[in-house]
Amino acid sequence: MPRADSINKRPALDPRNRLGYPQANLSVSTHLVNYVSSRGQAPTAGFDQILLAGLAPDGGLYLPAQWPALGARAIADLAGCDYAEAAVRVLTPFLGGAVPPETFAAMVADAYAGFDHPATAPLVQIDDNLWLLELFHGPTLAFKDIALQLLGRLFDHGLAARGEHATVIGATSGDTGSAAIHACMDRDNIDIFILHPKGRVSEVQRRQMTTVAAANVHNIAIEGTFDHCQYLVKAMFNDTSFRAEMRLAAVNSINWARIMAQTVYYLTAAANLGAPEREIAFSVPTGNFGDVYAGYVASRMGLPVRQLRVATNRNDILARLLSTGQYRTAAVSPTLSPSMDIQVASNFERLLFDLCGRDGAAVARLMGSLFADGGFEIEAAQLEQARALFQGVRIDEDATLAEIARVHAETGRLIDPHTAVGVAATRAAAGDRGVPWVALATAHPAKFPDAVARATGIRPELPARWSHLMEAPERCRVLERDLDAVQAYIRATGRPGN
């Protein structure tokens, strides 16, 4: 069996000296990026305007009006690069000058200083042509930390510069909430409210949110599913008077800064495996389409991506879409991978914008059909365009458990059920094996100990810094899925914006 090898932050140089380019020669586009709404009715805005906005005024999602380009040399230079340095290089064009360069570099370095692995997002080989991209070495043991540790600092900087206070609101299917709370807790300029579906996240995920004692942290358990939580958050942002009164800011991946921060690990992983001289394929466990969309952004920036495999559990709206062209919601089914138990994948709207030729009015019509009729169908040409890069694969519960067991038997490693969905998807569907495959490992196995123990007989332990988790007192308010009730609680508990 292949030995599990880790690619750390300073791999040996390629014998052809491909990695030996001068670090200063980046070949990065210097165009300043502006942002437009996916629904086409909002004014073009700068990064400083969209950072705290979340949704655009027309209800759409912000995305770049033009994609910054990374040249081949700039991509190659990311191999062996310190992760924080790579993030500064990749992300600076998206800022449009909104953050001074020295301030941003210090912010990024601070965001990743607390990660447990020196590479931040290391690659580990588990098969002849398959690597895990470990994204769970941050404070809350999930990939959301990589974006949210940076987002919390960007919020703090933007609010301090304006002398303002904001109310951060987010919905979570498990990991976003704890990552957002740990990025925003104890910050003077922020109150944070996180909605999670009651009884539909793992105990570790829940406790990572509800045991935080910071006065500015508020947890709400909604009687419903993640989709209900997500609907409530969007409804609050669409309520313009409430949004202004409480100065709402978004931490879900409707916030563009979340997406841009996630593009970095696609680029660094690919560079360490030989890009841009060869293509790389990624398998991404996803429910809300945000993480895999970040891979699409990396491809638009110039990364040669052979395929983005959209790995879903039995809540398979994305796999069905890529198979049939029909985007139609169904009932959410609880699974071993609860962070993916989603039927309305918000970030698909951003891809839809490109599939519609950046016609915001067409996107608005389709999204209107989604909420009026429960779905829509994309045209055959649009489906063909999506399939040129994306492939959807559905992995059921038995296959998830089998993959956890298989990886452990072959490598000695434990993986969580979300990661197992991604790994299983690389084996379940035909694909080009002539390129390296990278499966995103999105959570530490100890966040889902019951599933891991069921598959392997081994109950993974939390890292020592979380040893107190199961004994710490919890704070959480249970509410019905009623917009008025949720808004009333936020008004009564939070501080109005200024």
Side-chain angles (χ1 to χ4, degrees):
M1 297 297 170
R3 180 172 59 90
D5 260 343
S6 177
I7 297 179
N8 294 315
K9 66 179 179 181
R10 296 288 179 188
L13 291 182
D14 186 284
R16 294 166 295 166
N17 199 34
R18 184 184 57 77
L19 308 182
Y21 296 126
Q23 293 294 318
N25 192 345
L26 300 182
S27 306
V28 181
S29 168
T30 57
H31 293 300
L32 296 183
V33 174
N34 288 313
Y35 294 86
V36 296
S37 168
S38 57
R39 300 191 188 179
Q41 297 302 308
T44 299
F47 182 82
D48 56 337
Q49 296 169 288
I50 71 159
L51 173 63
L52 294 165
L55 287 177
D58 60 0
L61 304 184
Y62 282 116
L63 70 169
Q66 59 282 320
W67 300 105
L70 284 173
R73 177 165 291 187
I75 294 172
D77 283 346
L78 297 176
C81 183
D82 177 80
Y83 190 86
E85 182 182 347
V88 171
R89 297 181 188 184
V90 172
L91 301 180
T92 293
F94 289 108
L95 303 180
V99 183
E102 299 82 4
T103 302
F104 185 61
M107 195 183 297
V108 173
D110 187 52
Y112 301 124
F115 279 58
D116 289 338
H117 197 287
T120 303
L123 282 165
V124 177
Q125 187 171 9
I126 63 168
D127 208 337
D128 290 339
N129 201 41
L130 177 59
W131 283 261
L132 291 181
L133 178 57
E134 292 187 343
L135 303 174
F136 52 73
H137 293 286
T140 69
L141 312 178
F143 81 100
K144 306 292 178 71
D145 288 321
I146 290 180
L148 285 165
Q149 282 295 309
L150 180 56
L151 186 62
R153 288 159 174 81
L154 285 167
F155 277 173
D156 223 21
H157 171 80
L159 290 167
R162 301 178 187 184
E164 294 179 354
H165 170 272
T167 303
V168 172
I169 295 186
T172 185
S173 55
D175 291 327
T176 289
S178 57
I181 285 170
H182 285 264
C184 295
M185 63 184 184
D186 294 322
R187 296 191 182 275
D188 292 337
N189 300 316
I190 294 172
D191 281 328
I192 180 168
F193 291 81
I194 295 295
L195 285 63
H196 74 266
K198 184 173 181 263
R200 290 176 180 255
V201 300
S202 79
E203 185 178 12
V204 172
Q205 288 176 314
R206 186 191 76 246
R207 284 180 167 272
Q208 282 186 327
M209 296 184 283
T210 59
T211 59
V212 175
N216 70 327
V217 170
H218 310 278
N219 288 284
I220 303 173
I222 296 295
E223 298 277 12
T225 68
F226 168 76
D227 287 339
H228 295 126
C229 297
Q230 185 167 247
Y231 166 79
L232 289 167
V233 168
K234 286 189 172 183
M236 283 185 273
F237 274 92
N238 281 322
D239 182 338
T240 54
S241 61
F242 181 75
R243 180 174 175 174
E245 173 192 349
M246 301 304 297
R247 186 62 172 95
L248 297 190
V251 292
N252 282 81
S253 52
I254 60 173
N255 189 310
W256 168 257
R258 277 275 307 275
I259 300 296
M260 79 173 194
Q262 291 171 271
T263 65
V264 178
Y265 49 73
Y266 283 94
L267 287 153
T268 57
N272 280 323
L273 291 175
E277 291 185 4
R278 62 174 173 176
E279 292 180 307
I280 312 294
F282 294 89
S283 181
V284 187
T286 188
N288 208 23
F289 203 72
D291 202 6
V292 74
Y293 182 78
Y296 170 78
V297 174
S299 74
R300 294 304 304 259
M301 295 177 73
L303 184 68
V305 178
R306 177 68 61 87
Q307 186 177 100
L308 292 170
R309 188 158 288 178
V310 180
T312 75
N313 60 22
R314 64 188 177 205
N315 296 292
D316 61 347
I317 186 169
L318 293 170
R320 286 186 280 115
L321 166 74
L322 291 167
S323 173
T324 67
Q326 294 185 1
Y327 187 96
R328 190 156 297 280
T329 59
V332 175
S333 176
T335 71
L336 298 169
S337 45
S339 298
M340 299 160 64
D341 291 348
I342 296 169
Q343 284 288 351
V344 179
S346 289
N347 278 286
F348 183 72
E349 181 171 341
R350 286 186 164 112
L351 179 65
L352 192 62
F353 184 60
D354 278 355
L355 295 178
C356 290
R358 301 211 140 199
D359 181 346
V363 173
R365 286 193 296 271
L366 291 173
M367 297 309 294
S369 295
L370 172 64
F371 293 106
D373 306 322
F376 57 80
E377 185 171 357
I378 63 175
E379 297 175 359
Q382 294 169 336
L383 179 59
E384 183 179 359
Q385 182 183 347
R387 285 175 174 170
L389 184 60
F390 295 94
Q391 181 185 29
V393 178
R394 179 187 191 271
I395 302 298
D396 64 22
E397 301 289 85
D398 289 341
T400 300
L401 291 169
E403 194 59 54
I404 296 172
R406 174 176 176 170
V407 170
H408 181 255
E410 293 183 355
T411 72
R413 304 184 70 83
L414 296 175
I415 60 173
D416 90 289
H418 304 78
T419 302
V421 169
V423 175
T426 68
R427 313 189 201 265
D432 188 341
R433 301 301 174 186
V435 297
W437 277 86
V438 177
L440 273 56
T442 55
H444 192 289
K447 295 197 81 167
F448 304 92
D450 294 339
V452 175
R454 182 175 164 189
T456 66
I458 299 171
R459 192 171 184 84
E461 294 184 0
L462 286 165
R465 57 191 163 91
W466 284 106
S467 60
H468 69 286
L469 188 65
M470 296 305 173
E471 289 75 41
E474 297 186 74
R475 293 188 305 130
C476 185
R477 181 67 176 266
V478 178
L479 294 175
E480 295 293 328
R481 52 179 189 263
D482 177 77
L483 179 61
D484 291 339
V486 174
Q487 287 180 317
Y489 176 72
I490 292 172
R491 279 193 177 101
T493 311
R495 293 170 286 176
N498 62 333

